Amino acid sequence: MSMFRLRAVTGSRYLRRFLHGGAANRDHVLEQLGICSGEDQVLEVVGKNKAKLTVNHVGCAIGMLWHFQKEKPQMLRTVEFIKSHPEFLTLRVLAENKIELMDDVMLVDMLYNVLRLNVEPSDSLAQQLVSEAWLRLYRFPMPSLSKFAVCLSDQHLQHSPPMGQITDILNQKLSSIDDARILTTLMVSVSSLVSPHLRDKLINKADHLLDTMDPSHYNNPRRMVQFLRNIKYSYRPLLEKCNHILLRNVPHLNAENISIIMGLYQSIQFNNCDFRLAAKQRLMELVDSSADPFSFTKLFVALGPMAGEDTKERLESTALLLAEDFNAHQALAVAETLEEIQCRNLNLIQKIASVVHKNLHVYKPMEIARITQALILLHYQSPELFTKLRNILVQFLLNSVYPYEVTMLTRVLSMLPSPRLDEGVVSRVEAVLPQCNLNDLNTFAMAVAKWVRNDPSYRHSTPSKYVRLLQTLNRCGHERLRKADRLDLVLEELKYMSGEWFEEMLLEETMVTLQRLEDQISWTNVPEMALFLTRTNHLCTPLMDRIASVAMENINKIHYSATYATLLPFAVLNYDPPGVDELFDICIQRVIPHISSFDPHLLVLLAYALAVADCFPEDLVREIFNVNFLAKLDSQLETLPDALNKRIRLRLMELNRAVCLECPESQVPWFHERYCLQLQKKGNGSISPVQQQIHKMLGEVLGGINCARVALLTTYFYTVDFECVLDRHHQAVAYSEQSQLQISEDGKVRWGSDSVGKDRSEVPPGAQRVAVDFLDSKSFCKNSRHMKGEAMMRKRHLEILGYHVVQIPHFEWNSMELSTQDAWKEYLRKKIFTGLP
């Protein structure tokens, strides 16, 4: 029996390396270790043989201790028992004394294993092992080099000199690496140090190894995705190849692996319908077997945001049963997921908050920020807990030296009610501002704006401490933009920029910087640049001309899915660059061969953007408006966040309407009647004071208030601000009282019998329906009076429906020229009657 156990355990490479040789060379300590079946037996052997332990014995024993641990489920591991055992201390002391005797492989294995057994990086053993490994770095075999890189990452030494040398070795020896595991481990470890040139070399090598590796080794493509996430580079060809392998492995993945992969996909903005659907199915299969706190937490984090209402209720019920058994980090993960799914189960929220309250001492600064944010967004009510959280946040913030940490802590602190801001917080924020990127500066600006509004003295004047902070923010923002010399870095920092401070203080300077760097616009960053211009609603024709030029020259290099982002600003901002027809034609030609590979929701967004630009490719229309595609879209939408789900459904309705109106020959049916009726019921049915003013003026211009209808719903559910009918002599035709909409004093519209445009009365022969629309600032580009694409599309559609369309821009109606009643009436008269047939 002993010999059987010896043979079983010697499968571990820790013993295989030492158990060789004949009877004359028998090593009795190694033989004793070989028959151990658990950690306690290993430690017992160590205790009995302290005086005999060689470097091989120490390496073997520590390796076996970690081997036994990693074979156990997470919740059954006994790392703390081992770490506190006196014989483990013996092993640590012996290991430190014998470092110079270790060969290269043993040295790195020793470091790896002691870190896995929770020996602190500050411990002298770990530090001595790192120092010795650094000296031997250039002679390590590649497996040991990759493992040492992992050890450095575990100790947060990603930017250390040894990691820089590992990056150099990887660059030199890349062509000789044929093991995907070694390559991907190194890629992840050195990701913060790779140059664009090395990045491209690594991606090409990884792409090659994906074709030759065993597809069941799903951790290799997962690490490739992690590398792309780390370097913030969404390289679609490699992502799709990785996704193809991961998709094949979904039936064998557990909830933790699925959660990790979906988290990576989300952070790199890679939405794959097939993977989400397969992952959801697999997670549903795991529900019944995930009954312990560890496995349930992983399942809940992954499945909760994708689940239907019935499954969510079931998951919440299980969470309630397990709540008291969650540890601090499980409670944090559950709380964040509850916030993501907008849970309103007060009992469950209370239970999770209670676990958090008991474990506040365990959390690190970023974790305290995350838990505070989750509880605030869950509308949890506990002045006592939030006071404690605020005090902890302030203490962490005052002690932090990391800009990203100070940014996060400040943002969350600004979400908490506080009558006064600590001077220490202001000083700490001010100290880190010069080190911050644009996105962090924007976060601080939003936090300061909240503090200003909440400060009681704000009613009289803005306190000087806030003025000083805002002045520093402005200066740092402008300096960062003026010193910027790499377009890709600027675009990365601008990715999530929004808000009043950015638009008022930095947007113009940002455009100057982007134009200064426009020679760096290439096929790799065209989509990101296009998305930024779309998001800011800023019409910058030199940049858009450059985007168009680069896209037309390099369309075959741009991934087919990126054509949506590339074309978006031209459609949304209603701008035609030189060769606009060629631009749209070549982008459509790039898409059509890959049309079946698009995620359904992205294809809808692309088709809608094209429709805004008055472009309706037949193949695209045919692909979207068929039963199979719509069924797959429905399935995908069930897995998407609620806000994105609603946005896609709205875009599909608007696309359906556009196709029905502009492409009747396609014979696509209008199937959104019920959806539009539901939207109408949810609307607030109110009009603005300006619209009320226009309605009153229209009554005077047309000869009576009953000559203009308010907020009319047309066929296909456009809401026209005002409608009037002019006969062949251009005289207004009065409406009956039943069809007239009444406006209450608070601006609410009371609907008559003709509220949905179904029972539109026939106009007299030769008469003309006129639609009068007030266009607020959302209908125009931010920096000009250039009308956006959606307002133009709406005008086209109303004209197809038989209207003479009159558009009243806000800047004309509110201008100094129209400052009297007579001027407004004359303006309306000219607008309505000029250009009538």
Side-chain angles (χ1 to χ4, degrees):
M1 188 66 175
S2 296
M3 182 58 70
F4 173 78
R5 288 208 309 233
L6 175 63
R7 285 173 183 162
V9 178
T10 55
S12 167
R13 59 192 178 85
Y14 302 109
L15 284 167
R16 282 204 308 271
R17 293 182 60 212
F18 310 120
L19 286 174
H20 55 82
N25 297 319
R26 288 180 63 182
D27 188 320
H28 295 288
V29 175
L30 284 178
E31 289 180 359
Q32 290 176 59
L33 289 171
I35 61 174
C36 293
S37 59
E39 305 91 321
D40 51 346
Q41 293 178 9
V42 171
L43 294 168
E44 186 179 344
V45 170
V46 170
K48 290 179 179 178
N49 296 277
K50 290 180 183 178
K52 304 177 185 177
L53 295 179
T54 66
V55 66
N56 286 345
H57 299 147
V58 173
C60 179
I62 290 180
M64 290 179 69
L65 289 173
W66 171 240
H67 175 77
F68 286 129
Q69 286 298 302
K70 72 178 182 180
E71 295 297 310
K72 296 177 181 179
Q74 186 78 31
M75 61 181 182
L76 297 179
R77 291 182 180 177
T78 54
V79 171
E80 289 306 313
F81 162 75
I82 294 172
K83 185 180 174 183
S84 60
H85 199 285
E87 306 308 347
F88 184 64
L89 178 60
T90 299
L91 286 172
R92 287 165 57 182
V93 172
L94 288 170
E96 189 169 347
N97 292 335
K98 298 176 186 294
I99 285 177
E100 293 184 359
L101 301 175
M102 298 178 187
D103 63 33
D104 296 341
V105 174
M106 183 190 293
L107 178 73
V108 175
D109 284 350
M110 179 68 71
L111 176 61
Y112 182 86
N113 293 329
V114 297
L115 290 175
R116 291 294 171 278
L117 292 169
N118 285 358
V119 172
E120 295 294 330
S122 57
D123 185 90
S124 60
L125 171 59
Q127 292 186 347
Q128 291 297 321
L129 288 167
V130 169
S131 297
E132 182 66 24
W134 187 7
L135 294 174
R136 307 185 194 182
L137 200 58
Y138 280 92
R139 73 189 202 202
F140 280 165
M142 293 309 293
S144 295
L145 189 73
S146 69
K147 184 174 280 191
F148 181 53
V150 170
C151 295
L152 293 177
S153 295
D154 289 345
Q155 298 174 83
H156 307 293
L157 296 173
Q158 293 93 332
H159 297 92
S160 64
M163 193 69 89
Q165 292 178 344
I166 291 172
T167 307
D168 180 56
I169 295 169
L170 175 61
N171 188 30
Q172 294 176 24
K173 298 185 177 181
L174 182 59
S175 60
S176 66
I177 301 175
D178 56 7
D179 187 318
R181 181 182 181 185
I182 291 172
L183 176 67
T184 56
T185 301
L186 284 167
M187 287 170 67
V188 171
S189 298
V190 306
S191 55
S192 60
L193 300 178
V194 296
S195 65
H197 178 65
L198 179 56
R199 173 199 68 193
D200 294 341
K201 286 173 61 177
L202 290 170
I203 287 173
N204 289 335
K205 185 70 175 181
D207 185 87
H208 170 70
L209 291 184
L210 279 179
D211 294 329
T212 58
M213 60 164 258
D214 183 343
S216 66
H217 295 163
Y218 56 82
N219 275 324
N220 293 330
R222 186 216 18 106
R223 281 189 289 267
M224 290 179 190
V225 176
Q226 187 177 348
F227 169 73
L228 293 174
R229 189 278 309 271
N230 289 356
I231 64 173
K232 301 175 181 177
Y233 185 51
S234 182
Y235 185 69
R236 297 287 300 207
L238 183 60
L239 275 173
E240 289 179 353
K241 189 175 277 192
C242 290
N243 181 70
H244 179 69
I245 296 172
L246 292 170
L247 187 57
R248 289 172 58 182
N249 283 280
V250 166
H252 314 297
L253 298 179
N254 60 26
E256 182 175 15
N257 285 318
I258 291 174
S259 179
I260 291 170
I261 293 166
M262 294 188 69
L264 291 171
Y265 280 0
Q266 182 177 355
S267 60
I268 206 167
Q269 296 180 316
F270 178 71
N271 251 324
N272 183 266
C273 173
D274 293 332
F275 185 86
R276 290 183 72 87
L277 292 175
K280 182 179 179 181
Q281 180 179 336
R282 173 61 177 155
L283 291 168
M284 293 295 292
E285 294 168 2
L286 294 171
V287 169
D288 291 335
S289 60
S290 302
D292 61 271
F294 178 81
S295 59
F296 173 78
T297 301
K298 301 298 182 184
L299 177 82
F300 186 60
V301 169
L303 180 58
M306 294 194 292
E309 288 305 315
D310 292 343
T311 304
K312 280 181 186 176
E313 288 182 14
R314 183 181 173 189
L315 291 172
E316 289 177 11
S317 298
T318 305
L320 194 57
L321 294 173
L322 294 173
E324 293 181 357
D325 298 323
F326 288 144
N327 64 29
H329 294 96
Q330 289 163 352
L332 168 58
V334 170
E336 289 188 309
T337 305
L338 291 176
E339 184 272 313
E340 187 177 352
I341 65 176
Q342 299 179 335
C343 173
R344 292 297 175 259
N345 186 329
L346 298 180
N347 196 11
L348 175 57
I349 295 170
Q350 176 67 49
K351 282 279 186 76
I352 297 300
S354 176
V355 176
V356 167
H357 202 156
K358 287 186 291 188
N359 289 282
L360 290 177
H361 63 285
V362 175
Y363 295 117
K364 296 176 181 176
M366 297 296 275
E367 292 167 340
I368 282 288
R370 287 163 52 197
I371 197 66
T372 304
Q373 176 174 283
L375 292 175
I376 290 171
L377 296 176
L378 282 167
H379 306 292
Y380 178 65
Q381 302 294 319
S382 173
E384 179 192 357
L385 177 55
F386 281 122
T387 298
K388 285 186 178 179
L389 286 169
R390 186 184 187 282
N391 292 336
I392 296 171
L393 285 167
V394 169
Q395 198 57 49
F396 277 143
L397 193 152
L398 295 176
N399 294 330
S400 179
V401 295
Y402 300 110
Y404 73 89
E405 202 171 78
V406 174
T407 304
M408 177 75 164
L409 293 169
T410 302
R411 184 176 64 79
V412 175
L413 197 57
S414 72
M415 298 170 70
L416 291 167
S418 174
R420 294 280 178 187
L421 186 61
D422 301 332
E423 283 294 340
V425 171
V426 175
S427 299
R428 193 78 207 90
V429 169
E430 202 165 18
V432 301
L433 288 182
Q435 306 170 55
C436 291
N437 63 33
L438 294 171
N439 192 47
D440 289 343
L441 293 174
N442 193 51
T443 300
F444 282 121
M446 290 190 283
V448 172
K450 288 182 183 177
W451 287 330
V452 169
R453 285 194 297 269
N454 294 332
D455 195 306
S457 60
Y458 174 55
R459 286 170 294 184
H460 309 293
S461 64
T462 304
S464 59
K465 58 186 174 185
Y466 301 126
V467 173
R468 190 176 70 245
L469 261 183
L470 288 170
Q471 288 173 341
T472 306
L473 277 166
N474 295 343
R475 186 183 70 252
C476 290
H478 282 90
E479 285 179 359
R480 191 164 185 87
L481 285 168
R482 287 169 189 154
K483 292 177 181 178
D485 58 4
R486 285 183 57 189
L487 179 61
D488 288 343
L489 293 180
V490 175
L491 289 174
E492 181 59 39
E493 292 187 21
L494 293 173
K495 201 171 210 173
Y496 304 107
M497 295 282 280
S498 62
E500 291 180 14
W501 177 76
F502 172 65
E503 291 177 4
E504 294 176 9
M505 298 297 171
L506 286 192
L507 186 52
E508 289 298 330
E509 184 74 33
T510 299
M511 290 300 165
V512 171
T513 300
L514 294 177
Q515 288 180 74
R516 174 168 56 83
L517 301 174
E518 73 173 42
D519 288 345
Q520 296 181 33
I521 296 177
S522 67
W523 66 269
T524 59
N525 56 33
V526 152
E528 199 63 51
M529 175 68 83
L531 283 175
F532 173 75
L533 294 177
T534 307
R535 195 174 69 252
T536 57
N537 281 321
H538 196 288
L539 180 62
C540 182
T541 56
L543 289 176
M544 293 184 71
D545 289 345
R546 173 71 177 164
I547 289 171
S549 173
V550 171
M552 286 189 283
E553 290 174 14
N554 299 276
I555 191 63
N556 290 325
K557 296 179 183 177
I558 297 174
H559 194 267
Y560 61 84
S561 66
T563 51
Y564 164 64
T566 304
L567 290 175
L568 196 58
F570 301 99
V572 171
L573 303 181
N574 184 32
Y575 176 67
D576 292 345
V580 61
D581 292 336
E582 181 187 356
L583 172 65
F584 275 78
D585 286 345
I586 64 170
C587 285
I588 291 166
Q589 289 167 20
R590 180 79 176 103
V591 165
I592 297 303
H594 306 281
I595 202 167
S596 60
S597 301
F598 266 81
D599 257 20
H601 82 289
L602 186 60
L603 200 63
V604 170
L605 292 174
L606 171 63
Y608 174 74
L610 290 171
V612 170
D614 197 11
C615 185
F616 297 88
E618 185 179 341
D619 291 331
L620 195 55
V621 171
R622 192 184 309 116
E623 175 73 17
I624 290 175
F625 292 104
N626 76 57
V627 175
N628 292 334
F629 176 89
L630 293 173
K632 186 175 182 181
L633 177 65
D634 264 341
S635 298
Q636 185 198 18
L637 292 180
E638 291 175 3
T639 72
L640 296 179
D642 191 49
L644 182 56
N645 183 326
K646 289 178 180 177
R647 179 179 168 226
I648 302 303
R649 292 189 187 279
L650 180 63
R651 291 292 182 250
L652 180 64
M653 180 278 287
E654 293 170 326
L655 176 63
N656 185 199
R657 176 169 63 195
V659 170
C660 289
L661 285 168
E662 302 199 56
C663 301
E665 70 280 1
S666 66
Q667 298 186 322
V668 170
W670 167 246
F671 54 91
H672 278 89
E673 187 87 9
R674 183 182 300 175
Y675 170 83
C676 290
L677 286 170
Q678 290 171 346
L679 277 187
Q680 180 207 337
K681 289 177 183 176
K682 292 177 183 176
N684 60 17
S686 62
I687 65 173
S688 68
V690 172
Q691 288 169 314
Q692 293 183 50
Q693 180 193 29
I694 293 173
H695 183 228
K696 180 182 176 183
M697 297 287 179
L698 278 174
E700 296 183 25
V701 168
L702 297 173
I705 200 72
N706 63 339
C707 291
R709 289 200 287 186
V710 184
L712 176 83
L713 279 174
T714 72
T715 309
Y716 297 110
F717 289 83
Y718 270 118
T719 301
V720 175
D721 290 346
F722 310 99
E723 184 200 73
C724 61
V725 176
L726 303 178
D727 64 19
R728 67 176 66 189
H729 304 295
H730 295 177
Q731 296 298 310
V733 177
Y735 295 101
S736 64
E737 286 191 17
Q738 292 99 317
S739 65
Q740 177 68 16
L741 299 181
Q742 303 297 321
I743 306 173
S744 63
E745 290 182 3
D746 60 358
K748 295 288 183 182
V749 172
R750 296 189 180 131
W751 300 89
S753 61
D754 187 21
S755 60
V756 192
K758 290 183 179 178
D759 186 31
R760 299 173 67 193
S761 56
E762 292 296 324
V763 298
Q768 173 70 59
R769 291 186 186 275
V770 178
V772 180
D773 272 343
F774 176 74
L775 303 183
D776 61 17
S777 59
K778 293 177 183 177
S779 298
F780 299 90
C781 298
K782 273 211 169 73
N783 60 319
S784 71
R785 295 180 173 183
H786 185 77
M787 195 179 299
K788 290 166 62 178
E790 289 182 338
M792 295 295 292
M793 180 174 72
R794 174 186 169 89
K795 185 173 187 288
R796 288 199 311 270
H797 291 177
L798 291 176
E799 288 172 347
I800 291 171
L801 289 171
Y803 283 99
H804 169 63
V805 180
V806 173
Q807 294 178 317
I808 303 177
H810 68 97
F811 51 81
E812 291 182 0
W813 186 258
N814 296 322
S815 67
M816 292 295 290
E817 295 175 15
L818 303 183
S819 56
T820 66
Q821 300 282 325
D822 290 341
W824 275 314
K825 285 187 279 189
E826 183 59 27
Y827 172 83
L828 286 175
R829 193 173 290 110
K830 286 181 179 178
K831 279 279 188 177
I832 292 171
F833 295 106
T834 301
L836 281 172

